[in-house]
Amino acid sequence: MSQERTEGDLRHTGLSLKHDREWDYEIDRIVKAVEERDAETVGLQFPEGLKRRGPAVTDDLRQELPDDVQVMLSGQPCYGACDLDTYMMRRTDVFVHFGHSPMKESDKIIYVPLFSNVEVTPIMEQAREEELSDPDEDPDVGLVTTAQHMNKFGEMREWLEKRGYTVHTQRGDERLTNEGQVLGCNYASADVDADRILYVGGGKFHPLGLAMEHPEKNVVIADPVNNSVTIADTEQFMKQRYGAVHRAMDAETWGVIFCTKIGQGRWDQAREIVENNDDAYLITMDEVTPDRLTNFGMDAYVNTGCPRITTDDGPQFKKPMLTPGEYEIAIGEKPLDSLEFDTFHGTW
Amino acid sequence: MSQERTEGDLRHTGLSLKHDREWDYEIDRIVKAVEERDAETVGLQFPEGLKRRGPAVTDDLRQELPDDVQVMLSGQPCYGACDLDTYMMRRTDVFVHFGHSPMKESDKIIYVPLFSNVEVTPIMEQAREEELSDPDEDPDVGLVTTAQHMNKFGEMREWLEKRGYTVHTQRGDERLTNEGQVLGCNYASADVDADRILYVGGGKFHPLGLAMEHPEKNVVIADPVNNSVTIADTEQFMKQRYGAVHRAMDAETWGVIFCTKIGQGRWDQAREIVENNDDAYLITMDEVTPDRLTNFGMDAYVNTGCPRITTDDGPQFKKPMLTPGEYEIAIGEKPLDSLEFDTFHGTW
């Protein structure tokens, strides 16, 4: 059924729409995989914002599947394709990861991207009027979006080109599935020959990271979900980071975090820090949370796992939490003005 | 060095005492294991209350070990021997679990029990005076303690016997390492032919579970750590549990938790509940926390993992959280007065 749909129109995709008109859960594809593999167990992993849909999707699957097939939901926190429930993946015959595009293809994993069906051109028109200069003055614009809106990427590009812009896009590195796609930790697709980048997508999480990673570029946010056009402003973000670095400068003990999540490990970096600092201790964990670190009682922490835990959740930690680059500044190995956004490359 | 110490005297055990006069970390035994295995990596796992000792123990080990041996600390929460950091266990050459006795022996794991060196007889004397009847009237008393005080179990027994008591002890089941030992989830060692049980040990966590599991017995708490003698009173505890059961009776959707921690899984029980209730959904997770469940938005939960998360942390969850037995009451399969403490048996 999902093969027959018109591109961008997800309103007539069958079973998946019983409970939700926004997303296509691709029930048919999952049922087919169960039949092909003669599966006894199906594991479903949703990102945090969609976990609430788990029971309804389970109901739809139970209706289509034989009674003896056990459907189960992952209760592990999930914030990206870097964050697969590997316990569930190893122990189920069919493992479905919803809401993210593949960080690495695997026969073990069915990725269901959950494309948004929101229209993007109205907010692009508003962005053009308010924030993009005339193409006659400067035709170059970079274009990026997130996994949820990748289904409309061709439409976005065409819309800009028709209005005289030269659209610059690229895939970035292997961590990214698609041309023009950004992740919270990777903006290689925005490393294009244009001084301004148009981000079309929901929320500020991605464009703020983008503006941090490319401070020389003007990042225009066209958000079709919240229906707003803004310019990414990293000032508060940067102040918070400089504050954390300053507070860490007096640290006498350092906890160096190696994250055990499949797509968030930077072992060499963690090990190198510990090898060169007698006051540094290696700590391994999957979820990096304030509670877990409090019990160690160290003066400051370096997180080699997800950069967004460090930068966005930083203020929630009781002690300063730095990226590896910020750590080098705090211990005096690099000047303060070398502070830059921490990105994550490669797969696993 | 640790072999030479007098039983119960942990004050002269060498390296381990640099930072802490309370516990023996058995540094020598760990160093020996590293040498024997020509190990490159050493993983240390501490329970929550002792994580703060991690850096000092790491310092001691680093001093004794070659520079190229990498010592790392587990940042995963840990509340028992049921709760091994299996990720770390698989990926280190020497894996040390502190603070608990073996739930299951394995060549992969060095268990360092961390025996307390606190004296037990003064508080036992107080308990005898205040709460134990004269041995001439009733000589039978059950005796139990925790892993931390197992090193003094012989002394406790002898002390009671000298004063005319008939001391009843047993090992319980295979989940328990030692005779007379209790766990938060297993009180089989108290299933002895005596109407009163003397618990000698720190805190109320264990004796409250004991009194819940054996409501017909009088549980005397002799706590040498907090220097107090009390009788275990389960009334508040029971009220809280009945409250949770009542609130769950109207639930239209149930989340059934299967815990993926190595020693906390009851798969058959979880599966059976889901098979017999169309409104029940199987959720798999390691840490069972309020935050993780909130996102699923179900009306009530059944936890087949650690019983103490359900009973002790229950009030922290936004929705009722029941043990499997309490669930049967809530859905009307068992009468309200059948409510009993949930215990955990076997290893893995």
Side-chain angles (χ1 to χ4, degrees), chain A residues 48 52 59 62 73-76 87 260 278 280-286 292 294-296, chain B residues 48 52 59 62 73-76 87 260 278 280-286 292 294-295:
Chain A
E48 293 316 290
R52 201 165 285 260
D59 283 343
R62 282 178 179 167
L73 302 166
S74 169
Q76 297 298 104
Y87 181 98
T260 60
D278 288 343
Y281 303 89
L282 193 58
I283 302 174
T284 66
M285 52 175 65
D286 50 10
R292 291 188 178 189
T294 298
N295 290 334
F296 285 104
Chain B
E48 293 315 288
R52 201 165 285 260
D59 283 344
R62 281 177 178 166
L73 302 165
S74 169
Q76 297 299 103
Y87 181 98
T260 60
D278 287 345
Y281 302 89
L282 192 59
I283 303 175
T284 66
M285 52 174 66
D286 51 8
R292 290 187 179 188
T294 298
N295 290 334

mmCIF file of all heavy atoms in Angstrom, chain A residues 48 52 59 62 73-76 87 260 278 280-286 292 294-296, chain B residues 48 52 59 62 73-76 87 260 278 280-286 292 294-295:
data_model
loop_
_atom_site.group_PDB
_atom_site.id
_atom_site.type_symbol
_atom_site.label_atom_id
_atom_site.label_comp_id
_atom_site.label_asym_id
_atom_site.label_seq_id
_atom_site.Cartn_x
_atom_site.Cartn_y
_atom_site.Cartn_z
ATOM 1 N N GLU A 48 11.276 9.527 21.868
ATOM 2 C CA GLU A 48 10.496 9.950 23.035
ATOM 3 C C GLU A 48 9.145 10.555 22.675
ATOM 4 O O GLU A 48 8.121 10.202 23.242
ATOM 5 C CB GLU A 48 11.313 10.937 23.890
ATOM 6 C CG GLU A 48 12.517 10.283 24.533
ATOM 7 C CD GLU A 48 12.192 8.928 25.136
ATOM 8 O OE1 GLU A 48 11.484 8.871 26.142
ATOM 9 O OE2 GLU A 48 12.626 7.919 24.562
ATOM 10 N N ARG A 52 4.096 7.510 22.889
ATOM 11 C CA ARG A 52 2.674 7.458 23.195
ATOM 12 C C ARG A 52 1.866 6.754 22.101
ATOM 13 O O ARG A 52 0.746 6.301 22.325
ATOM 14 C CB ARG A 52 2.173 8.896 23.389
ATOM 15 C CG ARG A 52 0.901 9.052 24.156
ATOM 16 C CD ARG A 52 0.724 10.490 24.587
ATOM 17 N NE ARG A 52 1.612 10.803 25.680
ATOM 18 C CZ ARG A 52 1.219 10.825 26.968
ATOM 19 N NH1 ARG A 52 -0.028 10.580 27.264
ATOM 20 N NH2 ARG A 52 2.078 11.096 27.922
ATOM 21 N N ASP A 59 -1.669 -2.300 18.559
ATOM 22 C CA ASP A 59 -3.023 -2.779 18.241
ATOM 23 C C ASP A 59 -3.160 -3.091 16.756
ATOM 24 O O ASP A 59 -3.676 -4.141 16.376
ATOM 25 C CB ASP A 59 -4.071 -1.706 18.602
ATOM 26 C CG ASP A 59 -4.333 -1.638 20.101
ATOM 27 O OD1 ASP A 59 -3.974 -2.589 20.813
ATOM 28 O OD2 ASP A 59 -4.908 -0.623 20.544
ATOM 29 N N ARG A 62 -1.210 -6.243 15.957
ATOM 30 C CA ARG A 62 -1.847 -7.452 16.501
ATOM 31 C C ARG A 62 -3.014 -7.898 15.638
ATOM 32 O O ARG A 62 -3.271 -9.085 15.466
ATOM 33 C CB ARG A 62 -2.356 -7.174 17.923
ATOM 34 C CG ARG A 62 -1.267 -7.203 18.988
ATOM 35 C CD ARG A 62 -1.895 -6.860 20.341
ATOM 36 N NE ARG A 62 -0.923 -6.886 21.432
ATOM 37 C CZ ARG A 62 -1.169 -6.385 22.644
ATOM 38 N NH1 ARG A 62 -2.339 -5.827 22.908
ATOM 39 N NH2 ARG A 62 -0.252 -6.449 23.592
ATOM 40 N N LEU A 73 7.406 -3.180 23.026
ATOM 41 C CA LEU A 73 7.834 -1.791 22.871
ATOM 42 C C LEU A 73 9.128 -1.556 23.648
ATOM 43 O O LEU A 73 9.247 -1.991 24.794
ATOM 44 C CB LEU A 73 6.751 -0.855 23.423
ATOM 45 C CG LEU A 73 5.366 -0.981 22.781
ATOM 46 C CD1 LEU A 73 4.325 -0.271 23.650
ATOM 47 C CD2 LEU A 73 5.395 -0.372 21.390
ATOM 48 N N SER A 74 10.053 -0.839 23.048
ATOM 49 C CA SER A 74 11.265 -0.495 23.784
ATOM 50 C C SER A 74 10.974 0.641 24.764
ATOM 51 O O SER A 74 10.464 1.692 24.381
ATOM 52 C CB SER A 74 12.377 -0.051 22.826
ATOM 53 O OG SER A 74 13.443 0.509 23.569
ATOM 54 N N GLY A 75 11.320 0.429 26.016
ATOM 55 C CA GLY A 75 11.164 1.472 27.020
ATOM 56 C C GLY A 75 12.443 2.254 27.243
ATOM 57 O O GLY A 75 12.508 3.133 28.107
ATOM 58 N N GLN A 76 13.482 1.969 26.440
ATOM 59 C CA GLN A 76 14.728 2.731 26.558
ATOM 60 C C GLN A 76 14.525 4.121 25.964
ATOM 61 O O GLN A 76 13.845 4.247 24.944
ATOM 62 C CB GLN A 76 15.860 2.029 25.797
ATOM 63 C CG GLN A 76 16.224 0.651 26.328
ATOM 64 C CD GLN A 76 16.721 0.689 27.752
ATOM 65 O OE1 GLN A 76 15.999 0.328 28.680
ATOM 66 N NE2 GLN A 76 17.928 1.144 27.964
ATOM 67 N N TYR A 87 19.779 -4.220 22.747
ATOM 68 C CA TYR A 87 19.275 -5.390 23.485
ATOM 69 C C TYR A 87 18.053 -5.936 22.742
ATOM 70 O O TYR A 87 17.979 -7.117 22.438
ATOM 71 C CB TYR A 87 18.891 -4.987 24.916
ATOM 72 C CG TYR A 87 18.373 -6.139 25.756
ATOM 73 C CD1 TYR A 87 19.208 -6.817 26.638
ATOM 74 C CD2 TYR A 87 17.039 -6.565 25.658
ATOM 75 C CE1 TYR A 87 18.737 -7.877 27.405
ATOM 76 C CE2 TYR A 87 16.563 -7.624 26.419
ATOM 77 C CZ TYR A 87 17.416 -8.273 27.292
ATOM 78 O OH TYR A 87 16.947 -9.320 28.042
ATOM 79 N N THR A 260 28.194 4.328 25.792
ATOM 80 C CA THR A 260 28.144 2.963 25.244
ATOM 81 C C THR A 260 27.032 2.781 24.203
ATOM 82 O O THR A 260 26.863 1.683 23.685
ATOM 83 C CB THR A 260 27.935 1.950 26.384
ATOM 84 O OG1 THR A 260 26.703 2.244 27.052
ATOM 85 C CG2 THR A 260 29.062 2.018 27.399
ATOM 86 N N ASP A 278 46.303 12.773 34.925
ATOM 87 C CA ASP A 278 46.228 11.873 36.083
ATOM 88 C C ASP A 278 44.988 12.124 36.932
ATOM 89 O O ASP A 278 44.602 11.289 37.742
ATOM 90 C CB ASP A 278 47.460 12.054 36.992
ATOM 91 C CG ASP A 278 48.701 11.478 36.338
ATOM 92 O OD1 ASP A 278 48.557 10.684 35.384
ATOM 93 O OD2 ASP A 278 49.813 11.828 36.773
ATOM 94 N N ALA A 280 42.040 12.556 35.698
ATOM 95 C CA ALA A 280 40.858 12.213 34.898
ATOM 96 C C ALA A 280 40.542 10.733 35.047
ATOM 97 O O ALA A 280 41.449 9.895 35.092
ATOM 98 C CB ALA A 280 41.094 12.564 33.434
ATOM 99 N N TYR A 281 39.263 10.429 35.130
ATOM 100 C CA TYR A 281 38.787 9.060 35.335
ATOM 101 C C TYR A 281 37.767 8.718 34.266
ATOM 102 O O TYR A 281 36.852 9.504 34.002
ATOM 103 C CB TYR A 281 38.159 8.927 36.733
ATOM 104 C CG TYR A 281 39.135 9.311 37.817
ATOM 105 C CD1 TYR A 281 39.232 10.641 38.255
ATOM 106 C CD2 TYR A 281 40.006 8.370 38.364
ATOM 107 C CE1 TYR A 281 40.158 11.007 39.211
ATOM 108 C CE2 TYR A 281 40.934 8.725 39.330
ATOM 109 C CZ TYR A 281 41.004 10.053 39.748
ATOM 110 O OH TYR A 281 41.926 10.411 40.689
ATOM 111 N N LEU A 282 37.925 7.538 33.674
ATOM 112 C CA LEU A 282 37.037 7.115 32.600
ATOM 113 C C LEU A 282 35.753 6.519 33.187
ATOM 114 O O LEU A 282 35.807 5.619 34.020
ATOM 115 C CB LEU A 282 37.764 6.071 31.751
ATOM 116 C CG LEU A 282 37.171 5.697 30.404
ATOM 117 C CD1 LEU A 282 37.033 6.916 29.498
ATOM 118 C CD2 LEU A 282 38.048 4.650 29.728
ATOM 119 N N ILE A 283 34.617 7.019 32.740
ATOM 120 C CA ILE A 283 33.315 6.524 33.189
ATOM 121 C C ILE A 283 32.525 6.067 31.960
ATOM 122 O O ILE A 283 32.405 6.814 30.994
ATOM 123 C CB ILE A 283 32.512 7.626 33.909
ATOM 124 C CG1 ILE A 283 33.304 8.167 35.110
ATOM 125 C CG2 ILE A 283 31.156 7.100 34.372
ATOM 126 C CD1 ILE A 283 32.637 9.359 35.788
ATOM 127 N N THR A 284 32.005 4.836 32.003
ATOM 128 C CA THR A 284 31.218 4.344 30.870
ATOM 129 C C THR A 284 29.745 4.273 31.246
ATOM 130 O O THR A 284 29.388 3.833 32.329
ATOM 131 C CB THR A 284 31.680 2.936 30.433
ATOM 132 O OG1 THR A 284 31.407 1.994 31.470
ATOM 133 C CG2 THR A 284 33.168 2.910 30.137
ATOM 134 N N MET A 285 28.885 4.725 30.347
ATOM 135 C CA MET A 285 27.438 4.678 30.610
ATOM 136 C C MET A 285 26.680 4.829 29.303
ATOM 137 O O MET A 285 27.240 5.282 28.311
ATOM 138 C CB MET A 285 27.018 5.789 31.582
ATOM 139 C CG MET A 285 27.465 7.179 31.207
ATOM 140 S SD MET A 285 26.809 8.472 32.329
ATOM 141 C CE MET A 285 27.590 8.064 33.857
ATOM 142 N N ASP A 286 25.398 4.443 29.322
ATOM 143 C CA ASP A 286 24.588 4.668 28.119
ATOM 144 C C ASP A 286 23.874 6.028 28.222
ATOM 145 O O ASP A 286 24.230 6.966 27.515
ATOM 146 C CB ASP A 286 23.631 3.497 27.811
ATOM 147 C CG ASP A 286 22.786 3.038 28.992
ATOM 148 O OD1 ASP A 286 22.783 3.731 30.025
ATOM 149 O OD2 ASP A 286 22.122 1.998 28.881
ATOM 150 N N ARG A 292 23.126 10.304 37.450
ATOM 151 C CA ARG A 292 24.176 9.281 37.377
ATOM 152 C C ARG A 292 25.551 9.849 37.700
ATOM 153 O O ARG A 292 26.401 9.161 38.243
ATOM 154 C CB ARG A 292 24.207 8.648 35.980
ATOM 155 C CG ARG A 292 22.987 7.814 35.698
ATOM 156 C CD ARG A 292 23.139 7.058 34.402
ATOM 157 N NE ARG A 292 21.968 6.218 34.175
ATOM 158 C CZ ARG A 292 21.865 5.319 33.221
ATOM 159 N NH1 ARG A 292 22.869 5.146 32.373
ATOM 160 N NH2 ARG A 292 20.787 4.588 33.080
ATOM 161 N N THR A 294 26.136 12.657 39.586
ATOM 162 C CA THR A 294 26.185 13.203 40.948
ATOM 163 C C THR A 294 26.889 12.242 41.900
ATOM 164 O O THR A 294 27.710 12.649 42.723
ATOM 165 C CB THR A 294 24.754 13.471 41.457
ATOM 166 O OG1 THR A 294 24.167 14.443 40.596
ATOM 167 C CG2 THR A 294 24.772 14.002 42.879
ATOM 168 N N ASN A 295 26.587 10.944 41.769
ATOM 169 C CA ASN A 295 27.149 9.975 42.702
ATOM 170 C C ASN A 295 28.670 9.855 42.636
ATOM 171 O O ASN A 295 29.289 9.354 43.564
ATOM 172 C CB ASN A 295 26.505 8.606 42.489
ATOM 173 C CG ASN A 295 25.056 8.597 42.948
ATOM 174 O OD1 ASN A 295 24.681 9.370 43.813
ATOM 175 N ND2 ASN A 295 24.247 7.738 42.355
ATOM 176 N N PHE A 296 29.270 10.279 41.526
ATOM 177 C CA PHE A 296 30.727 10.207 41.418
ATOM 178 C C PHE A 296 31.417 11.392 42.094
ATOM 179 O O PHE A 296 32.577 11.308 42.465
ATOM 180 C CB PHE A 296 31.160 10.132 39.950
ATOM 181 C CG PHE A 296 30.912 8.789 39.334
ATOM 182 C CD1 PHE A 296 29.857 8.583 38.476
ATOM 183 C CD2 PHE A 296 31.737 7.716 39.633
ATOM 184 C CE1 PHE A 296 29.623 7.339 37.908
ATOM 185 C CE2 PHE A 296 31.516 6.466 39.073
ATOM 186 C CZ PHE A 296 30.448 6.281 38.214
ATOM 187 N N GLU B 48 25.398 2.450 44.050
ATOM 188 C CA GLU B 48 25.244 3.909 44.082
ATOM 189 C C GLU B 48 25.960 4.574 45.255
ATOM 190 O O GLU B 48 26.683 5.557 45.095
ATOM 191 C CB GLU B 48 23.761 4.282 44.097
ATOM 192 C CG GLU B 48 23.049 3.919 42.804
ATOM 193 C CD GLU B 48 23.853 4.300 41.587
ATOM 194 O OE1 GLU B 48 23.970 5.490 41.289
ATOM 195 O OE2 GLU B 48 24.389 3.386 40.933
ATOM 196 N N ARG B 52 31.236 7.182 44.769
ATOM 197 C CA ARG B 52 32.136 8.273 45.123
ATOM 198 C C ARG B 52 33.552 7.776 45.451
ATOM 199 O O ARG B 52 34.521 8.541 45.414
ATOM 200 C CB ARG B 52 31.553 9.024 46.322
ATOM 201 C CG ARG B 52 32.053 10.424 46.520
ATOM 202 C CD ARG B 52 31.152 11.164 47.488
ATOM 203 N NE ARG B 52 29.899 11.531 46.831
ATOM 204 C CZ ARG B 52 29.661 12.753 46.349
ATOM 205 N NH1 ARG B 52 30.556 13.700 46.483
ATOM 206 N NH2 ARG B 52 28.520 13.020 45.753
ATOM 207 N N ASP B 59 42.861 5.367 41.671
ATOM 208 C CA ASP B 59 44.217 5.848 41.993
ATOM 209 C C ASP B 59 45.078 4.724 42.551
ATOM 210 O O ASP B 59 46.230 4.535 42.149
ATOM 211 C CB ASP B 59 44.152 6.975 43.035
ATOM 212 C CG ASP B 59 43.711 8.300 42.433
ATOM 213 O OD1 ASP B 59 43.746 8.427 41.186
ATOM 214 O OD2 ASP B 59 43.338 9.200 43.203
ATOM 215 N N ARG B 62 45.949 2.287 39.780
ATOM 216 C CA ARG B 62 46.902 2.855 38.819
ATOM 217 C C ARG B 62 48.322 2.801 39.367
ATOM 218 O O ARG B 62 49.282 2.604 38.626
ATOM 219 C CB ARG B 62 46.532 4.303 38.504
ATOM 220 C CG ARG B 62 45.390 4.455 37.522
ATOM 221 C CD ARG B 62 45.087 5.941 37.351
ATOM 222 N NE ARG B 62 44.025 6.183 36.380
ATOM 223 C CZ ARG B 62 43.399 7.347 36.243
ATOM 224 N NH1 ARG B 62 43.748 8.380 37.011
ATOM 225 N NH2 ARG B 62 42.445 7.507 35.348
ATOM 226 N N LEU B 73 35.367 3.130 35.186
ATOM 227 C CA LEU B 73 34.285 3.033 36.165
ATOM 228 C C LEU B 73 32.947 2.903 35.455
ATOM 229 O O LEU B 73 32.693 3.624 34.485
ATOM 230 C CB LEU B 73 34.253 4.310 37.026
ATOM 231 C CG LEU B 73 35.533 4.630 37.795
ATOM 232 C CD1 LEU B 73 35.493 6.076 38.305
ATOM 233 C CD2 LEU B 73 35.695 3.665 38.957
ATOM 234 N N SER B 74 32.103 2.022 35.947
ATOM 235 C CA SER B 74 30.768 1.916 35.369
ATOM 236 C C SER B 74 29.905 3.071 35.864
ATOM 237 O O SER B 74 29.787 3.304 37.066
ATOM 238 C CB SER B 74 30.108 0.599 35.773
ATOM 239 O OG SER B 74 28.734 0.638 35.426
ATOM 240 N N GLY B 75 29.298 3.770 34.927
ATOM 241 C CA GLY B 75 28.389 4.853 35.281
ATOM 242 C C GLY B 75 26.934 4.410 35.281
ATOM 243 O O GLY B 75 26.033 5.215 35.478
ATOM 244 N N GLN B 76 26.692 3.124 35.065
ATOM 245 C CA GLN B 76 25.319 2.606 35.112
ATOM 246 C C GLN B 76 24.846 2.558 36.566
ATOM 247 O O GLN B 76 25.633 2.213 37.445
ATOM 248 C CB GLN B 76 25.259 1.191 34.521
ATOM 249 C CG GLN B 76 25.635 1.090 33.055
ATOM 250 C CD GLN B 76 24.728 1.894 32.149
ATOM 251 O OE1 GLN B 76 25.086 2.963 31.680
ATOM 252 N NE2 GLN B 76 23.524 1.409 31.937
ATOM 253 N N TYR B 87 27.506 -4.796 29.743
ATOM 254 C CA TYR B 87 28.284 -4.167 28.666
ATOM 255 C C TYR B 87 29.756 -4.109 29.078
ATOM 256 O O TYR B 87 30.650 -4.532 28.353
ATOM 257 C CB TYR B 87 27.762 -2.751 28.391
ATOM 258 C CG TYR B 87 28.497 -2.024 27.278
ATOM 259 C CD1 TYR B 87 27.978 -1.977 25.986
ATOM 260 C CD2 TYR B 87 29.722 -1.389 27.514
ATOM 261 C CE1 TYR B 87 28.648 -1.331 24.965
ATOM 262 C CE2 TYR B 87 30.398 -0.736 26.490
ATOM 263 C CZ TYR B 87 29.856 -0.698 25.224
ATOM 264 O OH TYR B 87 30.528 -0.055 24.219
ATOM 265 N N THR B 260 15.297 -5.812 31.514
ATOM 266 C CA THR B 260 16.370 -6.480 30.771
ATOM 267 C C THR B 260 17.648 -6.624 31.586
ATOM 268 O O THR B 260 18.645 -7.136 31.071
ATOM 269 C CB THR B 260 16.683 -5.689 29.478
ATOM 270 O OG1 THR B 260 17.102 -4.371 29.843
ATOM 271 C CG2 THR B 260 15.465 -5.590 28.578
ATOM 272 N N ASP B 278 -5.923 -8.071 26.358
ATOM 273 C CA ASP B 278 -5.775 -7.320 25.102
ATOM 274 C C ASP B 278 -5.390 -5.867 25.336
ATOM 275 O O ASP B 278 -4.927 -5.184 24.424
ATOM 276 C CB ASP B 278 -7.097 -7.342 24.315
ATOM 277 C CG ASP B 278 -7.351 -8.712 23.706
ATOM 278 O OD1 ASP B 278 -6.403 -9.521 23.656
ATOM 279 O OD2 ASP B 278 -8.497 -8.968 23.289
ATOM 280 N N ALA B 280 -3.123 -4.927 27.430
ATOM 281 C CA ALA B 280 -1.787 -4.900 28.036
ATOM 282 C C ALA B 280 -0.719 -4.898 26.947
ATOM 283 O O ALA B 280 -0.858 -5.583 25.930
ATOM 284 C CB ALA B 280 -1.606 -6.104 28.952
ATOM 285 N N TYR B 281 0.315 -4.104 27.169
ATOM 286 C CA TYR B 281 1.386 -3.940 26.194
ATOM 287 C C TYR B 281 2.719 -4.204 26.867
ATOM 288 O O TYR B 281 2.983 -3.696 27.960
ATOM 289 C CB TYR B 281 1.352 -2.508 25.623
ATOM 290 C CG TYR B 281 0.025 -2.193 24.989
ATOM 291 C CD1 TYR B 281 -1.014 -1.648 25.742
ATOM 292 C CD2 TYR B 281 -0.213 -2.506 23.659
ATOM 293 C CE1 TYR B 281 -2.255 -1.403 25.174
ATOM 294 C CE2 TYR B 281 -1.452 -2.260 23.076
ATOM 295 C CZ TYR B 281 -2.469 -1.713 23.838
ATOM 296 O OH TYR B 281 -3.695 -1.477 23.277
ATOM 297 N N LEU B 282 3.552 -4.997 26.203
ATOM 298 C CA LEU B 282 4.838 -5.375 26.772
ATOM 299 C C LEU B 282 5.866 -4.272 26.518
ATOM 300 O O LEU B 282 6.055 -3.848 25.382
ATOM 301 C CB LEU B 282 5.295 -6.692 26.132
ATOM 302 C CG LEU B 282 6.463 -7.429 26.755
ATOM 303 C CD1 LEU B 282 6.171 -7.789 28.206
ATOM 304 C CD2 LEU B 282 6.752 -8.687 25.957
ATOM 305 N N ILE B 283 6.524 -3.822 27.564
ATOM 306 C CA ILE B 283 7.557 -2.785 27.448
ATOM 307 C C ILE B 283 8.849 -3.344 28.024
ATOM 308 O O ILE B 283 8.857 -3.859 29.149
ATOM 309 C CB ILE B 283 7.162 -1.522 28.239
ATOM 310 C CG1 ILE B 283 5.811 -0.985 27.764
ATOM 311 C CG2 ILE B 283 8.232 -0.444 28.115
ATOM 312 C CD1 ILE B 283 5.305 0.197 28.587
ATOM 313 N N THR B 284 9.933 -3.246 27.265
ATOM 314 C CA THR B 284 11.219 -3.742 27.768
ATOM 315 C C THR B 284 12.133 -2.571 28.102
ATOM 316 O O THR B 284 12.235 -1.609 27.342
ATOM 317 C CB THR B 284 11.922 -4.648 26.731
ATOM 318 O OG1 THR B 284 12.279 -3.865 25.593
ATOM 319 C CG2 THR B 284 11.032 -5.789 26.287
ATOM 320 N N MET B 285 12.810 -2.651 29.245
ATOM 321 C CA MET B 285 13.738 -1.577 29.630
ATOM 322 C C MET B 285 14.685 -2.075 30.711
ATOM 323 O O MET B 285 14.422 -3.091 31.348
ATOM 324 C CB MET B 285 12.969 -0.350 30.136
ATOM 325 C CG MET B 285 11.955 -0.626 31.227
ATOM 326 S SD MET B 285 11.208 0.914 31.887
ATOM 327 C CE MET B 285 10.298 1.509 30.494
ATOM 328 N N ASP B 286 15.799 -1.382 30.889
ATOM 329 C CA ASP B 286 16.688 -1.765 31.984
ATOM 330 C C ASP B 286 16.320 -0.978 33.249
ATOM 331 O O ASP B 286 15.780 -1.536 34.187
ATOM 332 C CB ASP B 286 18.175 -1.655 31.601
ATOM 333 C CG ASP B 286 18.582 -0.330 30.985
ATOM 334 O OD1 ASP B 286 17.767 0.621 30.963
ATOM 335 O OD2 ASP B 286 19.724 -0.213 30.525
ATOM 336 N N ARG B 292 10.679 7.425 32.156
ATOM 337 C CA ARG B 292 10.602 6.535 30.996
ATOM 338 C C ARG B 292 9.177 6.065 30.739
ATOM 339 O O ARG B 292 8.791 5.835 29.598
ATOM 340 C CB ARG B 292 11.497 5.312 31.204
ATOM 341 C CG ARG B 292 12.962 5.660 31.151
ATOM 342 C CD ARG B 292 13.817 4.411 31.194
ATOM 343 N NE ARG B 292 15.223 4.777 31.108
ATOM 344 C CZ ARG B 292 16.201 3.910 30.966
ATOM 345 N NH1 ARG B 292 15.945 2.614 30.915
ATOM 346 N NH2 ARG B 292 17.454 4.319 30.886
ATOM 347 N N THR B 294 6.338 7.735 31.699
ATOM 348 C CA THR B 294 5.448 8.856 31.406
ATOM 349 C C THR B 294 5.164 8.967 29.914
ATOM 350 O O THR B 294 4.030 9.186 29.501
ATOM 351 C CB THR B 294 6.069 10.167 31.914
ATOM 352 O OG1 THR B 294 6.216 10.059 33.325
ATOM 353 C CG2 THR B 294 5.194 11.360 31.589
ATOM 354 N N ASN B 295 6.202 8.782 29.100
ATOM 355 C CA ASN B 295 6.038 8.962 27.669
ATOM 356 C C ASN B 295 5.074 7.963 27.021
ATOM 357 O O ASN B 295 4.584 8.205 25.929
ATOM 358 C CB ASN B 295 7.395 8.910 26.967
ATOM 359 C CG ASN B 295 8.236 10.134 27.287
ATOM 360 O OD1 ASN B 295 7.687 11.196 27.594
ATOM 361 N ND2 ASN B 295 9.546 10.005 27.240
#
